[in-house]
Amino acid sequence: MFTGIIESVGKVKSMQPTGGDIRLTVESNDLDFSDVKLGDSIASNGICLTVVELGNNHYSVDVSRETIARTALEALKAGHTVNLEKAMLPTTRFGGHIVAGHVDGVGVVSKIQQDARSIYIEIEIPQELAHYTATKGSITVDGISLTTNLVRDNIVSLNIIPHTAQVTNIAKHWLVGNKVNIEVDIVARYLERLLNKSQSGGMNAANPQSQITEAFLADNGFMK
């Protein structure tokens, strides 16, 4: 589990094909590796990956074909920057939102422009993910917990403050046309599941029909 608050920007050291998969090695002189061990998870551009090799300033992970197919990882090359976050601890300050590190789809940066001191960005996300987003809601882009300005159809607009641009790979790597990893708010997915169960009457006798309805969510501020 992660929070979407980036701890370090690493650099891809190598992308080595291995039996149809990829062995990805990332180096960082800023990430604290002192508490990282084999088998731990590190979110790399928002993808939860398991450490299989570890050095003083780098780690390696194996990336399956399933992950390659569902993320923008294959577009990475040696020298590219990636956002890094270690798995959160129970004592970690929860600065972002609940991030699973399970990428839902790939978006495309469609617009970038300066907006006073911040950067205004529009991202086209897959149509099937659009209904999980909301104006002033949370979305994870390349592992970064961000608040949406506005959602129009499947276009999400964001304003990136200078601090966020500096401590992530946004300023150096995001260009119009670039692909980015998208993870929607996990709460939206569970709400959809509850609504579908309620509307279909799909609960069994041992588990009574849910009282979560669209009216309930609207009354309690979850819907507008």
Side-chain angles (χ1 to χ4, degrees):
M1 193 65 69
F2 307 92
T3 68
I5 303 301
I6 303 305
E7 297 182 74
S8 169
V9 175
K11 184 177 291 186
V12 175
K13 186 176 181 180
S14 65
M15 295 272 290
Q16 180 182 353
T18 307
D21 297 335
I22 290 177
R23 172 68 59 90
L24 168 65
T25 300
V26 176
E27 58 184 0
S28 171
N29 292 319
D30 300 321
L31 191 68
D32 180 10
F33 287 98
S34 63
D35 60 349
V36 178
K37 61 183 183 299
L38 295 181
D40 282 355
S41 297
I42 296 179
S44 310
N45 267 7
I47 312 167
C48 178
L49 297 170
T50 302
V51 175
V52 296
E53 287 185 7
L54 188 62
N56 291 330
N57 71 336
H58 68 273
Y59 66 94
S60 296
V61 294
D62 286 329
V63 186
S64 69
R65 286 184 289 181
E66 169 71 8
T67 300
I68 294 168
R70 290 184 175 270
T71 68
L73 186 143
E74 198 169 26
L76 293 178
K77 300 183 185 302
H80 279 190
T81 54
V82 289
N83 298 313
L84 306 179
E85 182 189 357
K86 295 183 293 186
M88 66 179 292
L89 300 170
T91 54
T92 301
R93 180 177 286 113
F94 211 118
H97 71 282
I98 300 173
V99 177
H102 303 154
V103 174
D104 293 302
V106 175
V108 177
V109 178
S110 57
K111 185 175 184 177
I112 300 178
Q113 65 183 40
Q114 202 67 32
D115 184 8
R117 295 177 59 243
S118 65
I119 304 172
Y120 175 83
I121 295 177
E122 292 185 356
I123 298 176
E124 183 178 347
I125 67 173
Q127 191 70 51
E128 64 271 18
L129 298 181
H131 69 286
Y132 295 112
T133 61
T135 297
K136 302 305 178 184
S138 297
I139 192 170
T140 307
V141 185
D142 269 0
I144 312 165
S145 173
L146 297 170
T147 300
T148 61
N149 286 342
L150 185 66
V151 178
R152 304 189 315 275
D153 192 23
N154 67 324
I155 303 296
V156 174
S157 65
L158 311 159
N159 264 76
I160 310 299
I161 63 173
H163 173 78
T164 302
Q166 291 166 7
V167 299
T168 67
N169 67 354
I170 291 175
K172 293 182 179 179
H173 184 66
W174 286 20
L175 301 169
V176 172
N178 275 18
K179 294 180 178 180
V180 289
N181 295 314
I182 301 294
E183 181 184 332
V184 297
D185 190 350
I186 194 170
V187 175
R189 284 199 173 278
Y190 281 112
L191 287 174
E192 179 185 55
R193 175 72 170 166
L194 286 168
L195 280 171
N196 287 343
K197 281 287 188 181
S198 176
Q199 291 168 358
S200 66
M203 301 292 187
N204 57 37
N207 190 6
Q209 183 170 323
S210 172
Q211 299 303 305
I212 303 296
T213 63
E214 288 190 15
F216 173 89
L217 294 176
D219 290 343
N220 288 274
F222 289 99
M223 299 176 65
K224 294 183 178 180

